[in-house]
Amino acid sequence: YQYLSRYKQKENLDQFTFLPDRIEGTERECLACLMEFCGRKDPSWTEISNFTHFLNFQLRKCEKSVFCSPVVGREFHGF
């Protein structure tokens, strides 16, 4: 949700760091955001669950990537 809400507001995600202990938004806002980005008109709970698992997996990989690190990331803006 932290990434998606910032993406929706067109914030620069290159400078953002996910903080698992930070609570943002309400449950209703989170669900609405997930449903918006899920890619399905009326997603089931399973589809939302699969979407969030896939998104979390991809974001963890991105956060660990050398290309997205603060030092190298400056050369690959928006990568």
Side-chain angles (χ1 to χ4, degrees):
Y1 174 75
Q2 291 179 22
Y3 276 101
L4 293 177
S5 65
R6 283 167 175 74
Y7 177 79
K8 185 176 178 178
Q9 297 171 11
K10 300 185 185 336
E11 292 183 24
N12 183 357
L13 296 176
D14 291 341
Q15 306 301 319
F16 176 69
T17 303
F18 171 71
L19 299 172
D21 297 331
R22 181 187 304 176
I23 296 174
E24 296 181 1
T26 65
E27 292 90 354
R28 184 179 297 266
E29 291 169 331
C30 180
L31 183 57
C33 186
L34 291 173
M35 289 178 70
E36 178 182 347
F37 285 97
C38 182
R40 307 286 295 177
K41 183 178 180 185
D42 188 18
S44 67
W45 284 111
T46 302
E47 290 168 324
I48 292 173
S49 177
N50 289 339
F51 170 70
T52 57
H53 288 297
F54 174 76
L55 182 62
N56 284 334
F57 176 79
Q58 294 298 320
L59 289 172
R60 277 192 224 110
K61 292 288 190 180
C62 181
E63 289 171 347
K64 293 178 184 178
S65 170
V66 67
F67 296 106
C68 297
S69 70
V71 176
V72 178
R74 279 182 245 141
E75 299 297 320
F76 297 96
H77 177 71
F79 183 72

